[in-house]
Amino acid sequence: MKSPILKNPRLAAEGRRRIDYVSGRMPVLERVRREFQRGRPLRGLRVVACLHVTVETANLIRTLRAGGAQVAVTGSNPLSTQDDIAAALAREGVHTYAFRGQSQRDYYRCIQAALDIRPQVVLDDGADVIATLHHERQDLLEGVVGACEETTTGVVRLRALEAQGRLRFPVLAVNDAETKMMFDNRYGTGQSTLHGVMNATNILFAGRAVVVAGYGWCGRGIASRARGLGANVIVVEVHPRKALEALMDGYRVMPMSEAAPLGEVFITATGDTSVLRAEHFRRMPDGAILSNAGHFNVEVDIAALRRASRRVRTIRENLVEFTLRGGRRLYLLADGRLVNLAAAQGHPPEVMDMSFANQALGVRYLAQRRGELEPRVYPIPHDIDDQVARLKLATLGVRTETLTRQQEKYLSSWELGT
Ligand code: ADE
């Protein structure tokens, strides 16, 4: 294996303190870790994890290692690595190739270095490792038992690969677990995105017109948290049922061409490209803030923004001012990358607890079914999703109602009606 690629190994002690602190706020993962410690279900398994290298991810890595896996970690976004965490993981013996502020070349150099472990299981966030395996590292495909995909964008890419008949190993769509999507995507993205915008700008949300593009789970979370802070939220959505839902949730709904002149803060969460583009920049008010919470930095057409600008200057970290030819200024946050991870700390541990418990149990599922699954994109099994929900409730001290025998019978019968 190559030596670690890090920003600063001396940050390890600080990283370790933070990992320990957050561990107590991820109790489901902690239970899975204890179970893994006892049974060692991942003994000898080689795993590449291409994830945002955060304090929460570190707790997932510790869990996989407790199960006996050998892990190589690389970051899933050039701006999301927490350098103290990367240093701490390397100090603990994890093969770590990640630092904040990577170029595209650095990013893929780190992925290639991690792949030297010859993974049997891949944890991907955005499908870049899986795409690399299918392009440049086909020599390693044979050895891959399966993969888990963490995010909507990655699942979309992998379904496209599957539809072309080119996917070479089974993938669990961890993103689609209800205990992931309904909490991490909604409440995690909602809170951390606003945190990122506030960190970069310190704006007051109360009374502001906030345009949210995309009303999937992430957009729903962002819109509801922005409203909670007193913003006047406009939703832009292409899907008719989601648009209707946004409307009945109480937001104004309109196309971006109409929202552009009204918005003061724009937040994209669509997973698609050029959601904010030249025709919109031309109509936005002076001072508008542009940010993205989708996986890739394609939602704001930054090249078009540059072309439309006569001056570009950095105001502070994660805040760049573009002065357009007519004199209006637009402010781009975090280079159009995931604002919640680049300008804040990502989702809080309380939701990553469930996402990463699904990941850990997903890895065990793949290891136990080695050679049995077709090369397809599979939903996370319901019993894993249910187990995570039950454990989360138990750790929160919440008890649920139980059906009586009579109620169970009623639900499984058709005879009784009016
Ligand atoms: N994705 C969003 N938030 C995250 C976090 N805190 N850690 C890892 N991946 C994330």
Side-chain angles (χ1 to χ4, degrees), residues 188-204:
T189 310
Q191 179 170 314
S192 62
T193 296
L194 296 197
H195 186 193
V197 175
M198 288 190 266
N199 269 349
T201 62
N202 197 25
I203 59 156
L204 181 72

Side-chain angles (χ1 to χ4, degrees), residues 126-186:
D128 283 338
V129 168
I130 300 176
T132 303
L133 283 166
H134 283 73
H135 279 134
E136 297 110 76
R137 297 302 301 271
Q138 294 182 7
D139 55 307
L140 299 175
L141 282 171
E142 202 65 37
V144 180
V145 171
C148 292
E149 173 52 56
E150 167 76 7
T151 201
T152 316
T153 292
V155 172
V156 169
R157 286 179 86 189
L158 294 168
R159 292 224 164 93
L161 189 63
E162 180 188 25
Q164 288 181 359
R166 291 172 58 194
L167 181 64
R168 290 283 303 278
F169 46 74
V171 178
L172 288 184
V174 169
N175 175 72
D176 299 355
E178 290 193 3
T179 46
K180 196 272 180 187
M181 205 159 47
M182 288 169 62
F183 306 97
D184 158 325
N185 298 31
R186 177 169 40 182

Side-chain angles (χ1 to χ4, degrees), residues 52 54 56-57 125 340-341 345-347 352 356:
H52 300 294
T54 63
E56 292 79 20
T57 297
D125 187 335
N340 60 331
L341 281 137
Q345 299 172 58
H347 305 350
M352 294 315 293
F356 285 166

